[in-house]
Amino acid sequence: MTLHPGNDVVRQNARAKERIIAPVAAELRWAGLLSVLSGALWPLQAASLAWGVAEWVAEAPPLASALPAAGLFAIVGLLRATLDHRAGQMLFDAADRTIARERKVLIRREARERSAMGSAGIAAVVVDKLPLLQPWVTRYHVAMTRVRVLPLLLFALTFSLSWIAGLVLLVAGPLIPVFMALVGMAAEAASRRQMDEIGTLNEMTMERLSAMLDIRLLGAEERVTSDFANRADELRRKTMSVLRIAFLSSTVLELFSALGVALVAVFVGFTLLGEINFGSWGTPLTLGEGLFLLLIAPEFFQPLRDLGAAWHDRAAGYAVVDELDRLDAVERLSPLGNATRCAPLRGAFSIKTQSAVVALPGSTIRLPDVQLGPGESLAVTGPSGAGKSTMIAALLGLVPLEVGEIEVCGQVLDDATADAWRQRVAYVPQRPHFSDLTLRDWLDPRGTGDAPTDALRVADADRIVARLPNGLTTRLGETGGGVSGGEARRLMIARAVMMGGDVVFADEPTADLDQETADRVTNALIDFKRQGRALVVATHDGALAAAMEARIEVAA
């Protein structure tokens, strides 16, 4: 079987256009039309300027030609500026909508169905890469529209006055898109490599920052610094590769443009001096005609130069869309339900698992059979990576089962019951996370409006809030800036108390805490249970596991 990688690139580019360009195609067409009209008005300005200068040289009355020429030049210039402004407004509006749409889809999907790509990689796509779509939308397609019309129009005007000047443009003009196409293939490949390296460096940064304490304890600062230097140098090298291609392309385009304009200027100059008496149609060029040719020759090459510059924007855009397509194709875990608020699930509280197997990307985890009733407690233990957190997620309906079933409140946990089931549970995740809300609002996720005093007391967190500078109106950082790890966990337990429900799930609530703080968290969870609610904890902590009524182990 013969592989055709070029066909794959063509198909990828076609998909990219369908995804990014098709939704705003109407705006791009109108913007292109306005831009073409603006460019088509330049010959009127050039003619008025050439006419005014020619009349002035011919010693005509100054105001007889200068005022009409200046007036026509100004009016046409104002009209062109209006057309360009409107076209630019339409283009940037289309680009902003495109980026906002892709960003919205990406953030919503990653928040609900996370992929193997880390948060740093996602952040790189959202912050660094998606904005690269803007130049592609705002520059490339208008440049392509202009290059299809304006060079032909200006060539026709030039050829109507001088067949030699027209021949110069005819020879020099096509060399630009030919070379641009050759450079474009290398530019696309280089842009894709640069995009990959940006994501790699961002992921490495987040990974090292999260492990900073361990790095310092192990004395590995120099090794980490060296790794960063190597990755940064690799990004510099790939970025310079893209820039080299861009500068090479620009140099060649400017060379051809300069040569074309210079040859037209030489012909016009020698014709006006009387040294050349051929190249025009019958009669020698007049001063006005020669000036007109000199003014429109650079504009013949301008759309081609604009397209050459935008060609690299197109390459960068294709590289971004290629990464978005790869993210779309990644295997994901879809949580059950629609993540919408609804009435709590009816029925007496109970949890039962039977022959349940969770399907993860590339692996499966068999869950032990469990039965849990009102007010009962359960510790889920096992080695790291065995699936303790996965079991908690499965009981919450956050990961689907491959086989078996989970029953909650006497009903099968599925898409129809998951949202209602989660209205009856509270969850303390392994890593504390605080939204950008006041502490009062964050502690009340269901919006009951109740004072959190009792919940803070149950969680032994009332003194934590008392010493904060703004009390319940404090806004903590995303990871709980201003409170310790143990304090953040106790605040999360208080939030779980405020959530109410029949059961609280806690994932490694005492991990990485000193013994005194771990005991405080354990006591807070036990106080939660004393209120008559069920408790399920995933833990390595033997003391916390021993405080539970039942214990199961997830095998690796």
Side-chain angles (χ1 to χ4, degrees):
M1 180 176 66
T2 303
L3 298 177
H4 298 283
N7 293 337
D8 292 337
V9 172
V10 171
R11 284 193 293 270
Q12 288 175 358
N13 293 350
R15 287 198 303 270
K17 290 179 181 178
E18 183 178 357
R19 177 171 186 167
I20 302 300
I21 302 304
V24 292
E27 290 92 332
L28 296 183
R29 282 194 296 270
W30 276 107
L33 176 61
L34 295 178
S35 185
V36 167
L37 288 176
S38 173
L41 289 175
W42 169 246
L44 289 178
Q45 285 187 289
S48 65
L49 187 59
W51 171 53
V53 173
E55 289 295 308
W56 175 68
V57 172
E59 298 183 353
L63 296 181
S65 60
L67 284 181
L72 178 60
F73 188 91
I75 292 172
V76 175
L78 181 62
L79 179 57
R80 291 186 67 200
T82 302
L83 292 172
D84 287 337
H85 175 76
R86 179 55 183 156
Q89 185 181 45
M90 295 176 68
L91 289 170
F92 280 94
D93 285 346
D96 289 343
R97 287 203 312 275
T98 298
I99 295 172
R101 182 187 70 244
E102 293 295 330
R103 183 174 287 145
K104 181 179 180 180
V105 169
L106 182 63
I107 292 176
R108 282 190 172 183
R109 183 185 64 203
E110 293 300 326
R112 178 173 168 80
E113 304 174 17
R114 296 189 63 182
S115 65
M117 178 179 284
S119 59
I122 300 299
V125 175
V126 171
V127 177
D128 296 329
K129 300 179 183 180
L130 281 179
L132 296 178
L133 295 175
Q134 186 187 70
W136 181 27
V137 174
T138 58
R139 297 176 59 184
Y140 173 73
H141 289 275
V142 167
M144 182 63 77
T145 302
R146 287 169 57 88
V147 87
R148 289 169 178 163
V149 178
L150 294 181
L152 294 177
L153 172 64
L154 297 176
F155 168 76
L157 292 174
T158 299
F159 194 76
S160 67
L161 294 177
S162 169
W163 59 268
I164 281 189
L167 183 63
V168 170
L169 300 184
L170 185 63
V171 172
L175 293 176
I176 294 177
V178 169
F179 183 81
M180 187 169 55
L182 295 175
V183 173
M185 293 183 289
E188 287 185 30
S191 295
R192 285 189 170 92
R193 290 192 294 269
Q194 183 194 28
M195 294 297 105
D196 291 341
E197 193 60 38
I198 290 174
T200 300
L201 185 58
N202 275 25
E203 289 178 356
M204 181 180 177
T205 301
M206 288 299 294
E207 180 185 345
R208 297 301 189 271
L209 286 176
S210 63
M212 185 60 68
L213 180 60
D214 294 334
I215 291 171
R216 294 183 65 183
L217 289 174
L218 294 172
E221 295 94 333
E222 292 186 7
R223 173 66 180 272
V224 171
T225 302
S226 176
D227 290 344
F228 268 116
N230 292 335
R231 294 260 48 112
D233 189 65
E234 185 67 15
L235 177 59
R236 179 197 61 78
R237 188 181 65 80
K238 291 180 178 179
T239 301
M240 290 305 299
S241 177
V242 174
L243 292 177
R244 278 196 297 270
I245 295 173
F247 283 129
L248 174 62
S249 175
S250 298
T251 300
V252 175
L253 299 184
E254 293 297 332
L255 175 63
F256 289 148
S257 300
L259 287 176
V261 173
L263 289 174
V264 172
V266 168
F267 165 73
V268 170
F270 278 98
T271 298
L272 294 178
L273 289 174
E275 299 296 329
I276 295 179
N277 54 11
F278 63 90
S280 55
W281 300 102
T283 59
L285 291 176
T286 64
L287 176 60
E289 293 171 339
L291 289 175
F292 180 75
L293 290 177
L294 290 177
L295 289 171
I296 65 173
E299 291 300 311
F300 170 84
F301 292 100
Q302 189 59 47
L304 298 170
R305 295 162 67 189
D306 292 340
L307 182 60
W311 198 266
H312 302 285
D313 301 326
R314 167 184 175 272
Y318 281 159
V320 173
V321 177
D322 181 54
E323 183 153 353
L324 293 176
D325 287 341
R326 281 184 285 169
L327 265 176
D328 292 345
V330 169
E331 187 176 0
R332 299 173 184 275
L333 293 176
S334 300
L336 303 177
N338 300 312
T340 56
R341 288 197 174 187
C342 59
L345 187 65
R346 298 191 177 192
F349 170 77
S350 66
I351 297 176
K352 179 181 178 180
T353 66
Q354 186 172 359
S355 303
V357 178
V358 176
L360 300 177
S363 66
T364 58
I365 295 179
R366 183 174 299 277
L367 305 182
D369 292 342
V370 170
Q371 281 191 325
L372 192 70
E376 297 179 347
S377 59
L378 173 68
V380 181
T381 62
S384 297
K388 300 186 299 298
S389 297
T390 301
M391 182 168 182
I392 296 290
L395 295 177
L396 286 166
L398 299 178
V399 293
L401 298 182
E402 185 175 68
V403 296
E405 67 179 21
I406 298 175
E407 287 187 7
V408 291
C409 303
Q411 302 180 53
V412 174
L413 180 59
D414 56 19
D415 282 322
T417 58
D419 289 330
W421 161 241
R422 286 191 283 265
Q423 297 300 312
R424 296 185 63 169
V425 308
Y427 177 47
V428 179
Q430 183 173 355
R431 294 183 178 180
H433 180 274
F434 294 86
S435 303
D436 186 21
L437 300 169
T438 64
L439 198 53
R440 185 191 307 277
D441 292 335
W442 178 83
L443 287 169
D444 187 17
R446 302 204 192 277
T448 63
D450 296 339
T453 307
D454 291 340
L456 290 170
R457 179 182 51 77
V458 170
D460 191 21
D462 45 357
R463 284 173 293 181
I464 300 172
V465 176
R467 69 172 179 77
L468 292 174
N470 297 313
L472 288 172
T473 61
T474 301
R475 290 176 184 261
L476 300 176
E478 181 178 352
T479 56
V483 296
S484 67
E487 290 173 336
R489 295 259 172 79
R490 280 145 60 196
L491 287 172
M492 298 199 75
I493 293 173
R495 186 173 190 262
V497 174
M498 288 287 290
M499 291 178 72
D502 300 284
V503 58
V504 61
F505 294 94
D507 190 2
E508 298 286 2
T510 59
D512 306 321
L513 301 181
D514 61 75
Q515 190 59 50
E516 181 181 354
T517 306
D519 290 342
R520 284 175 174 267
V521 172
T522 300
N523 292 333
L525 290 170
I526 293 174
D527 284 343
F528 187 91
K529 179 181 175 300
R530 290 195 184 106
Q531 296 181 345
R533 300 173 186 177
L535 178 61
V536 180
V537 295
T539 183
H540 285 101
D541 187 343
L544 177 59
M548 302 297 107
E549 296 170 349
R551 176 173 179 169
I552 60 171
E553 184 169 352
V554 180

